[in-house]
Structure formats: structure tokens, C-alpha cells
Amino acid sequence: MNRANSAETSPSVRLFTAPGCPHCNGVKVSLTKLQEEELIEAFEVIDITQQPDLAEAVGVRSVPWLEIGSLTLIGEQQLSELRNWIARLSDTQVMVDYYETLLVNGELSVAESVLQKSPATLPSLLLLMIQENVPLQVRIGAVALLEGFAGREPLQQLIPQLAEQLQHQDYRIRADIAYLLGLTASSLAIEPLQKALEDSHHEVREIATEAIDEIGRDSG
């Protein structure tokens, strides 16, 4: 049959396990099936009791802990779920949905770890926070994750996309955007923030004012 993934594009896979783990073997069986289907290459199984330093470095706190490409999946995973994640690894929307899944499940620390390893996925958080009908806890979590890049280049590179969202129909999102523009600590954010001073909602105007002042202090 034709390979769904070539050796160059197949995701790297690591499974962290521990003796007595009730779900680890099930995930291992699913990975073996995926390997037989040529959806993944050979995968690595790591016993955290044998390699505790590696587990600590990765941030493993519970098992099964599965890494598939840039995704980290924790706990029992059904074969169908794994197939879905793997099939969508090249989909630009996959990281948006992935971060939403983590935040809905309260896995903020996992999202932080993934983001630190893959800061290029930062735009996915912006796409997540501006989606309609996103739960409040998810939007708050997305903003918190973006806050972690205050004053850093990955967030500064988002200034054009952030500026575009100052036209969002939801004033709460516009307010969050103004706040994030302030966190960039970049003079490039001043112009869009000055436009936000004319926003129809007072909260957006207030936050834009504070953001401009903050950038001024940082550059002063």
C-alpha cells in the first residue's frame, strides 16, 4: 500500500510509561497498530523508573505520556483519536484545536511546555482566542500563555496580526488584543494602539492608553 507518511514527514513518537500503569499497554498496542499501518515510524518506549532524569527533563508528571511530533498527549488515548491527531499534523488548524483541548482539560502547564519548545505555534493561540464561542477559561488560558512571551520576539512578530484584531466585533477580545500589544514592549505597537484610543468601548480605550504608557516606560 502507499505510505501515508514518508520517512521525512512521519512524526517522531515517544511513549513514557511506568510499571503498573493501567493504560500504558493500551497506548503501546495502538502505536504498534499505527506503525503497521505505516502512519508512524518506529516509536520509542521509555520507562520513567529507568530513565527518571529524561522524564523530568521532558516534564512528565503522569503516564502514559505520549509525544507525537509537536503534540503531547496525556492519559489513555483511543486508536481513533491517535489516528485523527496524526492525520492532522500538517493541518494549520491542528495546533489551535490542540491548545483548546489542553486548556479545556486544565493542562495549562503542558501547553506552556509545548509552547516553550515550539514558539512558532504562538499564532495558533491568537487564532484560538479570537474564535467565536470559545469558552472563557480557554480565552483566559490563551492570553496567559501569550503573556509568557512579554517583551520577546515571538510575540513582537505577532504585532501585525494583533493589530488586525483591533477590529474584532467583540470588545472583550479587542481589549485583550490591546493588552497584548502593550506586552510586546515594541514601538511598532504604538500606531495600532493609538487607533484603539478611538474605540467605541471605554474598556478598550483605557487598556490601549495603559499599553501605550507601558511601552513608553519600557523604552524610556
Side-chain angles (χ1 to χ4, degrees), residues 52-107:
D53 292 342
L54 177 57
E56 182 178 358
V58 172
V60 176
R61 299 185 308 281
S62 62
V63 292
W65 180 284
L66 179 63
E67 292 183 336
I68 300 181
S70 59
L71 307 184
T72 298
L73 305 174
I74 304 171
E76 184 179 11
Q77 306 293 326
Q78 300 299 321
L79 178 59
S80 59
E81 294 174 318
L82 295 176
R83 281 201 191 99
N84 179 60
W85 284 121
I86 291 171
R88 299 183 59 217
L89 282 176
S90 60
D91 181 355
T92 56
Q93 180 70 20
V94 69
M95 290 306 298
V96 178
D97 295 342
Y98 173 64
Y99 279 126
E100 181 173 9
T101 298
L102 291 178
L103 294 174
V104 166
N105 293 333
E107 295 286 356

Short mmCIF file of all heavy atoms in Angstrom, two decimals, residues 52-107:
data_model
loop_
_atom_site.label_atom_id
_atom_site.label_comp_id
_atom_site.label_asym_id
_atom_site.label_seq_id
_atom_site.Cartn_x
_atom_site.Cartn_y
_atom_site.Cartn_z
N PRO A 52 14.61 8.34 34.94
CA PRO A 52 13.91 9.44 35.62
C PRO A 52 14.41 10.82 35.20
O PRO A 52 13.63 11.78 35.17
CB PRO A 52 14.18 9.16 37.10
CG PRO A 52 15.44 8.35 37.11
CD PRO A 52 15.37 7.50 35.88
N ASP A 53 15.69 10.95 34.90
CA ASP A 53 16.24 12.25 34.52
C ASP A 53 15.61 12.73 33.20
O ASP A 53 15.29 13.92 33.05
CB ASP A 53 17.76 12.18 34.38
CG ASP A 53 18.45 11.98 35.73
OD1 ASP A 53 17.80 12.23 36.76
OD2 ASP A 53 19.62 11.57 35.74
N LEU A 54 15.46 11.80 32.25
CA LEU A 54 14.85 12.15 30.97
C LEU A 54 13.39 12.55 31.17
O LEU A 54 12.91 13.53 30.59
CB LEU A 54 14.95 10.99 29.99
CG LEU A 54 14.28 11.19 28.62
CD1 LEU A 54 14.83 12.42 27.92
CD2 LEU A 54 14.45 9.94 27.75
N ALA A 55 12.70 11.78 31.99
CA ALA A 55 11.29 12.08 32.25
C ALA A 55 11.14 13.45 32.89
O ALA A 55 10.23 14.23 32.54
CB ALA A 55 10.69 11.00 33.15
N GLU A 56 12.03 13.78 33.81
CA GLU A 56 11.98 15.09 34.47
C GLU A 56 12.27 16.21 33.48
O GLU A 56 11.62 17.26 33.50
CB GLU A 56 12.99 15.13 35.61
CG GLU A 56 12.97 16.44 36.38
CD GLU A 56 13.95 16.45 37.54
OE1 GLU A 56 14.62 15.43 37.78
OE2 GLU A 56 14.05 17.50 38.21
N ALA A 57 13.25 15.96 32.59
CA ALA A 57 13.61 16.98 31.60
C ALA A 57 12.45 17.27 30.65
O ALA A 57 12.24 18.42 30.24
CB ALA A 57 14.84 16.53 30.82
N VAL A 58 11.70 16.23 30.32
CA VAL A 58 10.56 16.39 29.40
C VAL A 58 9.37 17.02 30.12
O VAL A 58 8.53 17.68 29.50
CB VAL A 58 10.19 15.03 28.78
CG1 VAL A 58 8.91 15.11 27.99
CG2 VAL A 58 11.32 14.53 27.89
N GLY A 59 9.30 16.82 31.44
CA GLY A 59 8.19 17.35 32.21
C GLY A 59 7.10 16.34 32.48
O GLY A 59 5.96 16.71 32.79
N VAL A 60 7.44 15.06 32.38
CA VAL A 60 6.45 14.01 32.60
C VAL A 60 6.00 14.02 34.06
O VAL A 60 6.82 13.93 34.97
CB VAL A 60 7.03 12.62 32.23
CG1 VAL A 60 6.02 11.53 32.55
CG2 VAL A 60 7.42 12.59 30.76
N ARG A 61 4.70 14.09 34.27
CA ARG A 61 4.14 14.08 35.62
C ARG A 61 3.22 12.89 35.85
O ARG A 61 2.93 12.52 36.98
CB ARG A 61 3.37 15.37 35.90
CG ARG A 61 4.22 16.62 35.82
CD ARG A 61 3.42 17.85 36.24
NE ARG A 61 2.16 17.94 35.50
CZ ARG A 61 2.05 18.38 34.27
NH1 ARG A 61 3.12 18.74 33.59
NH2 ARG A 61 0.88 18.44 33.67
N SER A 62 2.70 12.33 34.76
CA SER A 62 1.85 11.15 34.86
C SER A 62 1.98 10.37 33.56
O SER A 62 2.42 10.92 32.55
CB SER A 62 0.39 11.54 35.12
OG SER A 62 -0.12 12.31 34.04
N VAL A 63 1.65 9.11 33.62
CA VAL A 63 1.75 8.24 32.44
C VAL A 63 0.40 7.58 32.17
O VAL A 63 -0.42 7.44 33.09
CB VAL A 63 2.86 7.17 32.63
CG1 VAL A 63 4.23 7.82 32.66
CG2 VAL A 63 2.61 6.35 33.90
N PRO A 64 0.16 7.18 30.91
CA PRO A 64 1.04 7.33 29.75
C PRO A 64 1.18 8.79 29.31
O PRO A 64 0.22 9.55 29.35
CB PRO A 64 0.34 6.50 28.67
CG PRO A 64 -1.10 6.49 29.08
CD PRO A 64 -1.09 6.46 30.58
N TRP A 65 2.39 9.13 28.91
CA TRP A 65 2.74 10.46 28.41
C TRP A 65 3.28 10.25 27.01
O TRP A 65 4.32 9.63 26.82
CB TRP A 65 3.77 11.09 29.32
CG TRP A 65 4.25 12.48 28.96
CD1 TRP A 65 5.10 12.82 27.97
CD2 TRP A 65 3.91 13.69 29.64
NE1 TRP A 65 5.32 14.17 27.97
CE2 TRP A 65 4.61 14.73 28.99
CE3 TRP A 65 3.10 13.99 30.74
CZ2 TRP A 65 4.50 16.06 29.40
CZ3 TRP A 65 3.01 15.31 31.14
CH2 TRP A 65 3.70 16.33 30.48
N LEU A 66 2.58 10.76 26.02
CA LEU A 66 2.91 10.44 24.64
C LEU A 66 3.27 11.70 23.87
O LEU A 66 2.54 12.69 23.90
CB LEU A 66 1.71 9.76 23.97
CG LEU A 66 1.82 9.37 22.50
CD1 LEU A 66 2.92 8.34 22.28
CD2 LEU A 66 0.48 8.83 22.00
N GLU A 67 4.40 11.65 23.20
CA GLU A 67 4.82 12.74 22.32
C GLU A 67 4.70 12.28 20.87
O GLU A 67 5.31 11.28 20.48
CB GLU A 67 6.25 13.16 22.60
CG GLU A 67 6.46 13.83 23.96
CD GLU A 67 7.89 14.27 24.15
OE1 GLU A 67 8.79 13.70 23.51
OE2 GLU A 67 8.11 15.19 24.96
N ILE A 68 3.90 13.00 20.08
CA ILE A 68 3.77 12.73 18.64
C ILE A 68 4.08 14.02 17.92
O ILE A 68 3.27 14.95 17.92
CB ILE A 68 2.36 12.23 18.27
CG1 ILE A 68 2.02 10.94 19.01
CG2 ILE A 68 2.25 12.01 16.77
CD1 ILE A 68 0.66 10.38 18.67
N GLY A 69 5.25 14.09 17.32
CA GLY A 69 5.66 15.34 16.71
C GLY A 69 5.69 16.43 17.76
O GLY A 69 6.30 16.28 18.82
N SER A 70 4.99 17.54 17.53
CA SER A 70 4.96 18.65 18.49
C SER A 70 3.84 18.51 19.52
O SER A 70 3.70 19.36 20.40
CB SER A 70 4.78 19.98 17.73
OG SER A 70 3.58 19.97 16.98
N LEU A 71 3.06 17.44 19.45
CA LEU A 71 1.94 17.26 20.36
C LEU A 71 2.33 16.41 21.56
O LEU A 71 3.08 15.44 21.43
CB LEU A 71 0.77 16.59 19.64
CG LEU A 71 0.27 17.23 18.35
CD1 LEU A 71 -0.95 16.48 17.84
CD2 LEU A 71 -0.06 18.70 18.55
N THR A 72 1.81 16.75 22.71
CA THR A 72 1.96 15.95 23.91
C THR A 72 0.57 15.51 24.37
O THR A 72 -0.30 16.36 24.61
CB THR A 72 2.64 16.75 25.04
OG1 THR A 72 3.95 17.14 24.63
CG2 THR A 72 2.74 15.91 26.31
N LEU A 73 0.36 14.21 24.45
CA LEU A 73 -0.94 13.66 24.84
C LEU A 73 -0.77 12.88 26.13
O LEU A 73 0.13 12.04 26.24
CB LEU A 73 -1.49 12.76 23.73
CG LEU A 73 -1.59 13.40 22.34
CD1 LEU A 73 -2.00 12.37 21.30
CD2 LEU A 73 -2.58 14.57 22.35
N ILE A 74 -1.64 13.13 27.09
CA ILE A 74 -1.50 12.53 28.41
C ILE A 74 -2.70 11.66 28.71
O ILE A 74 -3.84 12.02 28.42
CB ILE A 74 -1.37 13.63 29.48
CG1 ILE A 74 -0.19 14.54 29.15
CG2 ILE A 74 -1.17 13.02 30.87
CD1 ILE A 74 -0.12 15.77 30.02
N GLY A 75 -2.43 10.51 29.29
CA GLY A 75 -3.50 9.61 29.69
C GLY A 75 -3.91 8.66 28.58
O GLY A 75 -3.26 8.55 27.54
N GLU A 76 -5.01 7.96 28.81
CA GLU A 76 -5.50 6.97 27.86
C GLU A 76 -5.86 7.64 26.53
O GLU A 76 -6.52 8.67 26.50
CB GLU A 76 -6.72 6.27 28.44
CG GLU A 76 -7.25 5.14 27.56
CD GLU A 76 -8.45 4.45 28.19
OE1 GLU A 76 -8.99 4.97 29.18
OE2 GLU A 76 -8.83 3.37 27.70
N GLN A 77 -5.42 7.04 25.45
CA GLN A 77 -5.70 7.56 24.11
C GLN A 77 -6.28 6.43 23.25
O GLN A 77 -5.66 5.37 23.13
CB GLN A 77 -4.42 8.10 23.44
CG GLN A 77 -3.67 9.14 24.25
CD GLN A 77 -4.43 10.43 24.40
OE1 GLN A 77 -5.16 10.83 23.49
NE2 GLN A 77 -4.27 11.09 25.54
N GLN A 78 -7.44 6.67 22.68
CA GLN A 78 -8.03 5.68 21.80
C GLN A 78 -7.32 5.68 20.44
O GLN A 78 -6.79 6.71 20.01
CB GLN A 78 -9.52 5.96 21.60
CG GLN A 78 -10.33 5.93 22.87
CD GLN A 78 -10.29 4.57 23.56
OE1 GLN A 78 -10.33 3.53 22.90
NE2 GLN A 78 -10.21 4.59 24.89
N LEU A 79 -7.32 4.53 19.78
CA LEU A 79 -6.66 4.41 18.48
C LEU A 79 -7.22 5.44 17.49
O LEU A 79 -6.47 6.07 16.74
CB LEU A 79 -6.84 3.00 17.93
CG LEU A 79 -6.24 2.71 16.55
CD1 LEU A 79 -4.74 2.97 16.53
CD2 LEU A 79 -6.55 1.26 16.13
N SER A 80 -8.53 5.62 17.50
CA SER A 80 -9.16 6.58 16.58
C SER A 80 -8.69 8.00 16.85
O SER A 80 -8.50 8.80 15.92
CB SER A 80 -10.68 6.50 16.67
OG SER A 80 -11.12 6.78 18.00
N GLU A 81 -8.50 8.34 18.13
CA GLU A 81 -8.02 9.67 18.49
C GLU A 81 -6.60 9.88 17.98
O GLU A 81 -6.27 10.95 17.45
CB GLU A 81 -8.06 9.86 20.00
CG GLU A 81 -9.46 9.85 20.60
CD GLU A 81 -9.47 9.90 22.10
OE1 GLU A 81 -8.64 9.20 22.73
OE2 GLU A 81 -10.28 10.65 22.67
N LEU A 82 -5.76 8.87 18.14
CA LEU A 82 -4.38 8.98 17.68
C LEU A 82 -4.32 9.12 16.17
O LEU A 82 -3.53 9.92 15.63
CB LEU A 82 -3.58 7.76 18.14
CG LEU A 82 -3.41 7.62 19.66
CD1 LEU A 82 -2.68 6.33 20.00
CD2 LEU A 82 -2.65 8.82 20.21
N ARG A 83 -5.14 8.34 15.47
CA ARG A 83 -5.18 8.45 14.00
C ARG A 83 -5.56 9.88 13.60
O ARG A 83 -5.01 10.45 12.66
CB ARG A 83 -6.21 7.47 13.42
CG ARG A 83 -5.74 6.04 13.31
CD ARG A 83 -6.58 5.29 12.27
NE ARG A 83 -6.34 3.86 12.30
CZ ARG A 83 -7.12 2.98 12.91
NH1 ARG A 83 -8.21 3.40 13.55
NH2 ARG A 83 -6.85 1.70 12.88
N ASN A 84 -6.53 10.44 14.30
CA ASN A 84 -7.01 11.78 13.97
C ASN A 84 -5.92 12.82 14.15
O ASN A 84 -5.70 13.67 13.28
CB ASN A 84 -8.22 12.13 14.84
CG ASN A 84 -8.75 13.53 14.56
OD1 ASN A 84 -9.15 13.85 13.46
ND2 ASN A 84 -8.74 14.37 15.59
N TRP A 85 -5.21 12.77 15.29
CA TRP A 85 -4.14 13.73 15.53
C TRP A 85 -3.04 13.60 14.49
O TRP A 85 -2.55 14.60 13.95
CB TRP A 85 -3.55 13.54 16.93
CG TRP A 85 -4.40 14.06 18.05
CD1 TRP A 85 -4.90 13.35 19.10
CD2 TRP A 85 -4.83 15.41 18.27
NE1 TRP A 85 -5.62 14.15 19.95
CE2 TRP A 85 -5.59 15.43 19.47
CE3 TRP A 85 -4.65 16.61 17.58
CZ2 TRP A 85 -6.16 16.59 19.97
CZ3 TRP A 85 -5.22 17.77 18.08
CH2 TRP A 85 -5.97 17.76 19.26
N ILE A 86 -2.66 12.37 14.18
CA ILE A 86 -1.58 12.15 13.21
C ILE A 86 -1.98 12.63 11.83
O ILE A 86 -1.20 13.27 11.11
CB ILE A 86 -1.19 10.66 13.18
CG1 ILE A 86 -0.50 10.28 14.49
CG2 ILE A 86 -0.26 10.35 12.00
CD1 ILE A 86 -0.26 8.80 14.65
N ALA A 87 -3.22 12.35 11.44
CA ALA A 87 -3.69 12.75 10.11
C ALA A 87 -3.71 14.26 9.96
O ALA A 87 -3.61 14.78 8.84
CB ALA A 87 -5.08 12.18 9.86
N ARG A 88 -3.81 14.98 11.09
CA ARG A 88 -3.96 16.43 11.02
C ARG A 88 -2.68 17.19 11.38
O ARG A 88 -2.70 18.41 11.50
CB ARG A 88 -5.08 16.86 11.97
CG ARG A 88 -6.44 16.26 11.62
CD ARG A 88 -7.50 16.79 12.55
NE ARG A 88 -7.57 18.25 12.46
CZ ARG A 88 -7.79 19.04 13.52
NH1 ARG A 88 -7.96 18.52 14.71
NH2 ARG A 88 -7.85 20.35 13.36
N LEU A 89 -1.57 16.49 11.53
CA LEU A 89 -0.34 17.16 11.95
C LEU A 89 0.09 18.27 11.00
O LEU A 89 0.69 19.25 11.42
CB LEU A 89 0.80 16.13 12.11
CG LEU A 89 0.76 15.28 13.38
CD1 LEU A 89 1.87 14.26 13.37
CD2 LEU A 89 0.87 16.17 14.63
N SER A 90 -0.20 18.11 9.72
CA SER A 90 0.18 19.14 8.75
C SER A 90 -0.91 20.18 8.54
O SER A 90 -0.74 21.12 7.77
CB SER A 90 0.53 18.48 7.41
OG SER A 90 -0.60 17.79 6.89
N ASP A 91 -2.02 20.04 9.24
CA ASP A 91 -3.15 20.97 9.14
C ASP A 91 -2.85 22.19 10.02
O ASP A 91 -2.51 22.05 11.20
CB ASP A 91 -4.42 20.26 9.61
CG ASP A 91 -5.66 21.14 9.52
OD1 ASP A 91 -5.53 22.34 9.20
OD2 ASP A 91 -6.75 20.63 9.79
N THR A 92 -2.98 23.39 9.46
CA THR A 92 -2.69 24.59 10.23
C THR A 92 -3.63 24.76 11.43
O THR A 92 -3.29 25.45 12.40
CB THR A 92 -2.78 25.84 9.33
OG1 THR A 92 -4.08 25.88 8.72
CG2 THR A 92 -1.71 25.82 8.26
N GLN A 93 -4.80 24.14 11.37
CA GLN A 93 -5.77 24.27 12.46
C GLN A 93 -5.48 23.32 13.61
O GLN A 93 -6.02 23.50 14.71
CB GLN A 93 -7.18 24.01 11.91
CG GLN A 93 -8.31 24.10 12.92
CD GLN A 93 -8.61 25.51 13.40
OE1 GLN A 93 -8.24 26.48 12.74
NE2 GLN A 93 -9.27 25.63 14.54
N VAL A 94 -4.60 22.35 13.40
CA VAL A 94 -4.42 21.31 14.41
C VAL A 94 -3.91 21.88 15.73
O VAL A 94 -4.37 21.47 16.80
CB VAL A 94 -3.50 20.18 13.91
CG1 VAL A 94 -2.06 20.64 13.76
CG2 VAL A 94 -3.56 18.97 14.86
N MET A 95 -2.99 22.84 15.69
CA MET A 95 -2.45 23.38 16.93
C MET A 95 -3.49 24.23 17.66
O MET A 95 -3.50 24.29 18.89
CB MET A 95 -1.20 24.19 16.67
CG MET A 95 0.01 23.35 16.25
SD MET A 95 0.41 21.98 17.40
CE MET A 95 0.78 22.87 18.92
N VAL A 96 -4.38 24.87 16.90
CA VAL A 96 -5.47 25.62 17.52
C VAL A 96 -6.35 24.67 18.33
O VAL A 96 -6.65 24.90 19.51
CB VAL A 96 -6.31 26.35 16.46
CG1 VAL A 96 -7.48 27.10 17.13
CG2 VAL A 96 -5.46 27.31 15.65
N ASP A 97 -6.74 23.57 17.71
CA ASP A 97 -7.59 22.59 18.38
C ASP A 97 -6.85 21.90 19.52
O ASP A 97 -7.44 21.58 20.56
CB ASP A 97 -8.08 21.55 17.37
CG ASP A 97 -8.99 22.15 16.32
OD1 ASP A 97 -9.51 23.26 16.54
OD2 ASP A 97 -9.19 21.51 15.26
N TYR A 98 -5.55 21.68 19.32
CA TYR A 98 -4.74 21.02 20.35
C TYR A 98 -4.66 21.89 21.60
O TYR A 98 -4.89 21.41 22.72
CB TYR A 98 -3.35 20.74 19.79
CG TYR A 98 -2.37 20.20 20.81
CD1 TYR A 98 -2.58 18.96 21.41
CD2 TYR A 98 -1.24 20.93 21.17
CE1 TYR A 98 -1.68 18.47 22.35
CE2 TYR A 98 -0.35 20.44 22.09
CZ TYR A 98 -0.57 19.22 22.68
OH TYR A 98 0.33 18.73 23.61
N TYR A 99 -4.34 23.18 21.42
CA TYR A 99 -4.26 24.06 22.58
C TYR A 99 -5.63 24.20 23.25
O TYR A 99 -5.71 24.26 24.49
CB TYR A 99 -3.75 25.44 22.16
CG TYR A 99 -2.24 25.51 22.01
CD1 TYR A 99 -1.66 25.97 20.84
CD2 TYR A 99 -1.41 25.11 23.05
CE1 TYR A 99 -0.28 26.03 20.70
CE2 TYR A 99 -0.03 25.17 22.92
CZ TYR A 99 0.53 25.63 21.74
OH TYR A 99 1.91 25.68 21.61
N GLU A 100 -6.69 24.22 22.47
CA GLU A 100 -8.02 24.29 23.07
C GLU A 100 -8.30 23.05 23.92
O GLU A 100 -8.83 23.16 25.03
CB GLU A 100 -9.09 24.43 21.99
CG GLU A 100 -10.50 24.53 22.57
CD GLU A 100 -11.56 24.83 21.54
OE1 GLU A 100 -11.26 24.79 20.32
OE2 GLU A 100 -12.71 25.11 21.96
N THR A 101 -7.92 21.88 23.41
CA THR A 101 -8.11 20.64 24.16
C THR A 101 -7.36 20.69 25.49
O THR A 101 -7.89 20.33 26.54
CB THR A 101 -7.64 19.43 23.34
OG1 THR A 101 -8.42 19.33 22.15
CG2 THR A 101 -7.78 18.14 24.13
N LEU A 102 -6.11 21.15 25.46
CA LEU A 102 -5.32 21.24 26.68
C LEU A 102 -5.95 22.21 27.67
O LEU A 102 -6.05 21.91 28.87
CB LEU A 102 -3.89 21.70 26.35
CG LEU A 102 -2.99 20.72 25.59
CD1 LEU A 102 -1.63 21.36 25.32
CD2 LEU A 102 -2.82 19.42 26.36
N LEU A 103 -6.39 23.36 27.20
CA LEU A 103 -6.94 24.37 28.11
C LEU A 103 -8.30 23.95 28.66
O LEU A 103 -8.61 24.22 29.83
CB LEU A 103 -7.03 25.72 27.40
CG LEU A 103 -5.67 26.33 27.02
CD1 LEU A 103 -5.86 27.59 26.18
CD2 LEU A 103 -4.86 26.65 28.27
N VAL A 104 -9.11 23.30 27.85
CA VAL A 104 -10.39 22.78 28.34
C VAL A 104 -10.16 21.75 29.44
O VAL A 104 -10.91 21.69 30.43
CB VAL A 104 -11.20 22.16 27.18
CG1 VAL A 104 -12.35 21.31 27.72
CG2 VAL A 104 -11.75 23.25 26.27
N ASN A 105 -9.10 20.96 29.30
CA ASN A 105 -8.79 19.91 30.27
C ASN A 105 -7.94 20.42 31.44
O ASN A 105 -7.52 19.62 32.28
CB ASN A 105 -8.07 18.75 29.59
CG ASN A 105 -8.97 18.01 28.61
OD1 ASN A 105 -10.19 18.00 28.77
ND2 ASN A 105 -8.38 17.40 27.59
N GLY A 106 -7.68 21.72 31.47
CA GLY A 106 -6.91 22.29 32.57
C GLY A 106 -5.43 21.99 32.52
O GLY A 106 -4.75 22.08 33.55
N GLU A 107 -4.91 21.66 31.36
CA GLU A 107 -3.49 21.30 31.21
C GLU A 107 -2.68 22.51 30.78
O GLU A 107 -1.94 22.48 29.78
CB GLU A 107 -3.35 20.16 30.19
CG GLU A 107 -3.98 18.86 30.62
CD GLU A 107 -3.17 18.14 31.70
OE1 GLU A 107 -2.08 18.64 32.05
OE2 GLU A 107 -3.63 17.10 32.19
#
